[in-house]
Amino acid sequence: MKNKIISKVQLSDSIFKIEVEAPLIARSRKPGNFVMVRVGENGERIPLTIADANRDKGTITMVVQKMGVSSAKLCELNSGDCITDLVGPLGKPTKIEKVGTVLACCGGVGVAPMLPIIEAHQKVGNRVITILAARTKELVILEEEVRKFSDEVVIMTDDGSYGNKGLVTAGMEQVIARESIHECVTIGPAIMMKFCAETTRKYDIHTVASLNSIMVDGTGMCGACRVSVAGKTRFTCIDGPEFDAHQVDFDEILTRLKGYQDKEKLGNKLQEVK
Amino acid sequence: MIDKIKEQRNEAWRVELRKKLKAKDRKAIERIVIPEEDSLERIKSQRIEVNRPITFDQAQTEASRCMDCANPTCMEGCPVGINIPGFIKNIEQGDIMNAASILKETSVLPAVCGRVCPQEKQCEARCFYAEKLNLPAVAIGALERFAADYEQSNQTKSDQVNERVSNGVKIAVIGSGPSGLSFAGDMAKYGYEVTVFEALHEIGGVLKYGIPEFRLPNAVVDAEIENLKELGVQFVTNFIVGQTASIQDLKEDGFAAFYIASGAGLPRFMNIPGENANGILSSNEYLTRVNLMGADLAESDTPVMTGKNVVVIGGGNTAMDSVRTAKRLGAERAMIVYRRSQDEMPARKEEVHHAEAEGVEFLTLSNPVEYVADDNGRVSHVKIQKMELGEPDESGRRRPVSIPGSEYLLEASVVVVAVGVSPNPLMTNVMPELNSTDWGTIMVDESLQSSINDIYAGGDIVRGGASVILAMGDGRKAAKNMHEKLIGN
Ligand SMILES: Cc1cc2nc3c(=O)[nH]c(=O)nc-3n(C[C@H](O)[C@H](O)[C@H](O)COP(=O)(O)OP(=O)(O)OC[C@H]3O[C@@H](n4cnc5c(N)ncnc54)[C@H](O)[C@@H]3O)c2cc1C
Ligand code: FES
């Protein structure tokens, strides 16, 4: 049996951490890579970033929020069940260089794909400050793991129920005011990444965003995932998923994410909150 | 080969058969009209094959039109040189299984090629009837399909399978399109342990994700895949060579040589203003959603864009497949926008006729220059510029020239861009030592070996977007050359 789920942990009301057997992907994946997943013979192919991998056990971990049909189908599976199709690793890996201090800004389930990135940054000797932003306390997930790979963690909630009250950008401004930041990484809802990029643009801090486009194949075959970067059309799945956030046309992304919203089949909506 | 074909022609039964009917009487028989599903009925589903099967009698009658020429020019028109008179005369004689086995000597996928080859530009264009008599050619494609289908439905498990002795040498194939499949089949017959790696969750490449069911039923492709499995070919889906594991990893796993048949999967866009609006998608996306993911079926989770006015840009097979899919998904107006005239369309003629019968509109000498979106970012109009034909270009076709001031807006709720594909960069990206051209195609020598020893390549990844028969021919050629090299060593 392939792609067997070996553990499933509920992180919040609608967010699950799923560890699945995938020895080859566990061996070849790098930070920033994602996989395409399909559940059931009528299932849709959806992209999910790899949150963690264990080479010895031969497993990878994904964090999924129940949103549309496809993410719900995945979240309904339990330990011992198998995922119909799982392919990867896909996408270009994150460029990790020793730069100094890295500011990692994550929102919602975006924390999960951020984990391997901050781990890698710490490994090469960068100082990592992570901002964990969520609507409310219940949605702050994976805090313990984040602390493991960060020199400092700033928690922001919209309603102030945990950490500081305010948006991710407020946390960013505070950190930037106090010390020099050499690189910024942002992963979360497109609207959040847009504002992160606007914030760092003011200070001319190089910023990388991991984009969450709608995908079909994930291998460069269809162009569903196309985005405009520096005025040129690029495919998120093979040219990305990470791009220079200051060059990305986020308004176009926000429009494109709504492309299938009038459809009954809303599987891809998951991506909006990645 | 040629001698063998001459020899066969001189066999007693063939001589007898030629004498049975005078050339004049053969000539008097009219070319078969292929029975079709009614055009109003067939557009109700993506899954009704348009061309219906022909009967045994019809096939024999059509086969008897063939003059069994001493110099069969039709064979020169076939990119892989199928023994055309050989299989046709077996049909006339009533020995269909033998006809099918003659086809299989050269073509691994005759049931597929009979349906999708542009015969009117290849074998049928060079048929004696067309070249010398100015009469409709023998329906070679239809006869090919007949013989192959007959074999598929009357198959007794072939005994060659049991006799197969493995030589234990492991060979990896990258990509399961027609090129990879034909290579795999031949190598298995030579005795190798062949594994085909496919990135998607289905086997078949373009035959599955691109060409729709109404033109090529999946069952036909699956039957061919079953044959390969019986020959011992292993298939691994959801495996991207270069990503899931590298060629180096596979070498360490004991694979001795590789055939890259990864296709020309990357869709091209035109880079005109507004092209990233919602509702504008590549033909690959449109066709993949429907053909691979089943978006036309209620039970599928995958959605597809639908709308009243669907505009398809392009004039090739992909454009025809897209526009006819749009009709089947319920478009009121399904339109082709093509910058040259209908005569220059690269699509198979039969598909253009079928599209016309299904109510597809053709806006030729028209070129999109811009897309207009509504307030929600969804495409609403295409700005079209009219064209006229100028001097012939390198391809010999007259070059379309735009007419200034001729622009007008055409209503569109969905736009499908079908203006060609580029080679899939998945392999070349991760293997810089694999020499490729500026267009991204992999460079090979005459034996189809790449710049790396033991790695061969063929099909669309070498030719750019080409055809099923050429992709298949490459697979056979690469298999033969690789085999000779491996036993020579
Ligand atoms: C819609 C459409 C209609 C067409 N109609 C016709 C027609 O009527 N007649 C005709 O002759 N031709 C037609 N063609 C062209 C024809 O289909 C192609 O020329 C032919 O399929 C090429 O075969 P191939 O084996 O080289 O590649 P493909 O069929 O493209 O197969 C390549 C396969 O390799 C896989 N792959 C890629 N990279 C990797 C990797 N790294 N690891 C594992 N797998 C990988 C891909 O997923 C794919 O499945 C059509 C094409 C399209 C798109
Ligand atoms: S998802 Fe199809 S090209 Fe990126």
Side-chain angles (χ1 to χ4, degrees):
Chain A
M1 290 253 267
K2 289 185 93 176
N3 317 325
K4 195 160 116 192
I5 296 178
I6 63 159
S7 84
K8 174 178 158 186
V9 180
Q10 186 155 12
L11 299 180
S12 82
D13 215 18
S14 61
I15 304 176
F16 296 84
K17 184 165 105 173
I18 296 173
E19 187 178 0
V20 46
E21 267 174 12
L24 292 173
I25 303 175
R27 200 173 66 179
S28 51
R29 71 94 208 195
K30 295 201 174 69
N33 283 149
F34 65 94
V35 289
M36 296 298 294
V37 171
R38 190 172 80 111
V39 181
E41 282 313 316
N42 297 315
E44 188 177 16
R45 294 169 65 97
I46 54 166
L48 290 169
T49 313
I50 302 168
D52 194 11
N54 186 324
R55 274 175 170 247
D56 302 330
K57 267 165 78 188
T59 61
I60 61 167
T61 301
M62 303 171 288
V63 173
V64 196
Q65 180 162 30
K66 229 189 210 166
M67 291 293 294
V69 181
S70 303
S71 55
K73 275 192 178 173
L74 181 57
C75 292
E76 274 155 25
L77 298 182
N78 290 306
S79 290
D81 291 343
C82 289
I83 297 177
T84 317
D85 294 294
L86 175 69
V87 62
L90 290 154
K92 292 197 169 141
T94 313
K95 252 201 212 125
I96 306 282
E97 279 163 6
K98 175 130 173 56
V99 288
T101 304
V102 174
L103 181 60
C105 311
C106 22
V109 233
V111 212
M114 190 66 94
L115 286 174
I117 297 175
I118 54 178
E119 180 182 4
H121 273 299
Q122 264 207 337
K123 245 193 208 141
V124 300
N126 288 322
R127 172 175 150 77
V128 176
I129 304 173
T130 305
I131 303 181
L132 249 178
R135 267 204 333 272
T136 180
K137 181 175 180 192
E138 210 267 315
L139 296 173
V140 176
I141 54 166
L142 300 169
E143 183 186 339
E144 202 181 305
E145 287 86 342
V146 167
R147 290 201 183 276
K148 217 163 75 190
F149 304 123
S150 310
D151 296 271
E152 190 188 331
V153 177
V154 178
I155 292 172
M156 305 293 301
T157 49
D158 293 6
D159 59 4
S161 53
Y162 189 45
N164 307 321
K165 182 173 158 68
L167 298 176
V168 67
T169 44
M172 293 171 72
E173 292 283 4
Q174 277 170 28
V175 174
I176 294 169
R178 140 190 124 200
E179 64 182 287
S180 57
I181 301 297
H182 303 97
E183 189 175 312
C184 176
V185 192
T186 169
I187 310 183
I191 187 76
M192 178 209 114
M193 294 195 282
K194 174 182 165 166
F195 286 107
C196 288
E198 288 316 316
T199 305
T200 55
R201 194 195 303 276
K202 289 187 299 197
Y203 306 101
D204 204 18
I205 300 169
H206 175 59
T207 301
V208 174
S210 176
L211 302 184
N212 44 11
S213 314
I214 290 176
M215 295 191 186
V216 180
D217 58 300
T219 65
M221 196 184 85
C222 76
C225 63
R226 62 197 196 277
V227 290
S228 295
V229 182
K232 273 178 67 183
T233 295
R234 311 292 299 273
F235 289 4
T236 305
C237 65
I238 50 168
D239 300 321
E242 290 172 15
F243 293 100
D244 180 343
H246 295 159
Q247 305 284 345
V248 170
D249 183 343
F250 280 105
D251 293 334
E252 184 184 279
I253 292 179
L254 287 164
T255 310
R256 285 187 66 79
L257 285 170
K258 286 190 292 215
Y260 281 92
Q261 243 171 26
D262 58 334
K263 296 273 152 189
E264 234 173 287
K265 305 163 172 175
L266 276 179
N268 261 316
K269 252 199 96 186
L270 156 75
Q271 276 311 296
E272 240 184 293
V273 293
K274 174 170 120 178
Chain B
M1 185 67 187
I2 300 297
D3 286 347
K4 198 176 126 204
I5 281 161
K6 288 236 162 78
E7 237 169 69
Q8 285 181 2
R9 187 175 179 273
N10 292 332
E11 281 170 15
W13 72 270
R14 281 276 282 272
V15 179
E16 245 349 85
L17 193 64
R18 274 200 297 281
K19 284 193 198 144
K20 239 174 82 182
L21 212 60
K22 291 204 184 76
K24 191 174 88 234
D25 296 328
R26 294 185 189 272
K27 211 177 94 178
I29 305 169
E30 273 183 42
R31 177 179 159 123
I32 185 176
V33 178
I34 315 253
E36 289 174 16
E37 289 296 332
D38 175 69
S39 60
L40 290 176
E41 276 308 307
R42 72 193 189 216
I43 60 169
K44 290 181 186 160
S45 161
Q46 182 78 358
R47 287 144 205 277
I48 298 174
E49 187 171 14
V50 172
N51 282 341
R52 281 210 302 261
I54 60 174
T55 64
F56 202 104
D57 286 349
Q58 284 174 313
Q60 276 190 307
T61 307
E62 183 64 23
S64 66
R65 290 182 69 220
C66 167
M67 303 278 186
D68 199 4
C69 306
N71 175 24
T73 43
C74 54
M75 285 180 62
E76 294 166 14
C78 174
V80 297
I82 288 180
N83 178 358
I84 294 169
F87 97 81
I88 291 185
K89 288 298 119 180
N90 268 289
I91 295 179
E92 185 181 348
Q93 177 81 341
D95 191 348
I96 316 299
M97 287 312 254
N98 210 25
S101 75
I102 291 176
L103 283 167
K104 289 237 155 138
E105 283 170 13
T106 341
S107 167
V108 189
L109 311 166
V112 174
C113 294
R115 288 173 166 84
V116 306
C117 270
Q119 290 95 0
E120 81 277 359
K121 285 186 204 138
Q122 299 180 166
C123 52
E124 293 183 17
R126 302 293 316 277
C127 171
F128 177 70
Y129 277 80
E131 275 199 329
K132 298 280 156 45
L133 303 178
N134 205 16
L135 286 172
V138 173
I140 303 171
L143 292 175
E144 180 183 23
R145 171 184 162 183
F146 169 76
D149 284 0
Y150 184 93
E151 192 204 23
Q152 274 195 0
S153 54
N154 291 282
Q155 216 153 30
T156 43
K157 300 292 165 217
S158 51
D159 35 12
Q160 69 188 41
V161 174
N162 304 327
E163 285 165 19
R164 201 182 79 95
V165 194
S166 161
N167 65 14
V169 179
K170 280 167 74 179
I171 304 292
V173 184
I174 297 143
S176 68
S179 202
L181 293 180
S182 58
F183 174 89
D186 278 8
M187 289 303 271
K189 285 183 197 148
Y190 290 136
Y192 295 91
E193 296 285 318
V194 184
T195 305
V196 179
F197 295 96
E198 169 55 51
L200 295 172
H201 58 268
E202 276 275 356
I203 303 295
V206 172
L207 306 182
K208 280 281 178 66
Y209 77 71
I211 304 179
E213 286 262 308
F214 58 77
R215 200 146 76 80
L216 175 63
N218 284 344
V220 172
V221 184
D222 287 334
E224 303 286 5
I225 293 166
E226 276 312 308
N227 287 340
L228 293 178
K229 285 185 181 161
E230 268 167 39
L231 282 172
V233 175
Q234 306 267 344
F235 289 95
V236 181
T237 52
N238 294 318
F239 194 112
I240 307 174
V241 177
Q243 306 268 68
T244 309
S246 65
I247 294 253
Q248 192 53 42
D249 294 333
L250 293 176
K251 274 189 183 156
E252 283 160 22
D253 266 357
F255 285 96
F258 301 82
Y259 180 60
I260 304 180
S262 52
L266 206 70
R268 268 191 232 135
F269 287 91
M270 293 173 69
N271 296 315
I272 57 177
E275 208 174 24
N276 289 347
N278 286 335
I280 303 179
L281 53 170
S282 75
S283 50
N284 267 7
E285 178 180 351
Y286 192 62
L287 293 172
T288 299
R289 283 179 181 275
V290 178
N291 300 332
L292 182 71
M293 306 308 297
D296 58 315
L297 304 172
E299 60 267 29
S300 163
D301 294 342
T302 303
V304 66
M305 296 278 179
T306 50
K308 238 163 72 176
N309 303 302
V310 180
V311 172
V312 176
I313 317 292
N317 285 318
T318 318
M320 277 333 124
D321 285 346
S322 301
V323 79
R324 296 172 68 198
T325 296
K327 258 290 177 233
R328 284 158 175 80
L329 293 179
E332 279 170 30
R333 292 186 75 187
M335 296 164 266
I336 284 282
V337 167
Y338 181 57
R339 62 198 180 116
R340 305 182 197 246
S341 68
Q342 198 155 326
D343 285 343
E344 278 100 9
M345 282 192 180
R348 292 178 85 220
K349 284 284 162 298
E350 189 182 27
E351 310 310 331
V352 177
H353 294 153
H354 284 163
E356 279 177 324
E358 290 162 11
V360 166
E361 296 168 55
F362 288 80
L363 309 177
T364 53
L365 291 168
S366 299
N367 198 34
V369 288
E370 189 183 332
Y371 297 103
V372 182
D374 64 17
D375 292 343
N376 296 318
R378 170 87 184 235
V379 67
S380 62
H381 294 85
V382 188
K383 189 189 271 184
I384 306 257
Q385 186 169 48
K386 301 287 283 175
M387 312 292 278
E388 59 192 354
L389 291 180
E391 295 298 304
D393 63 12
E394 318 82 63
S395 71
R397 295 182 299 178
R398 291 176 65 193
R399 190 192 302 274
V401 187
S402 56
I403 306 173
S406 62
E407 296 84 357
Y408 70 98
L409 287 178
L410 176 68
E411 232 177 279
S413 31
V414 177
V415 175
V416 180
V417 183
V419 296
V421 283
S422 302
N424 192 319
L426 278 173
M427 290 297 308
T428 41
N429 272 353
V430 292
M431 293 190 75
E433 66 278 26
L434 196 62
N435 286 351
S436 54
T437 64
D438 291 346
W439 301 275
T441 52
I442 294 179
M443 287 206 248
V444 291
D445 63 17
E446 308 91 83
S447 75
L448 299 183
Q449 184 178 302
S450 74
S451 55
I452 305 175
N453 237 347
D454 303 329
I455 300 185
Y456 287 64
D460 280 4
I461 188 65
V462 164
R463 299 170 176 272
S467 66
V468 170
I469 189 82
L470 288 170
M472 205 197 68
D474 284 354
R476 305 213 75 180
K477 188 172 160 193
K480 184 165 174 285
N481 292 333
M482 185 188 282
H483 174 54
E484 278 167 8
K485 187 163 170 225
L486 288 171
I487 51 172
N489 281 345

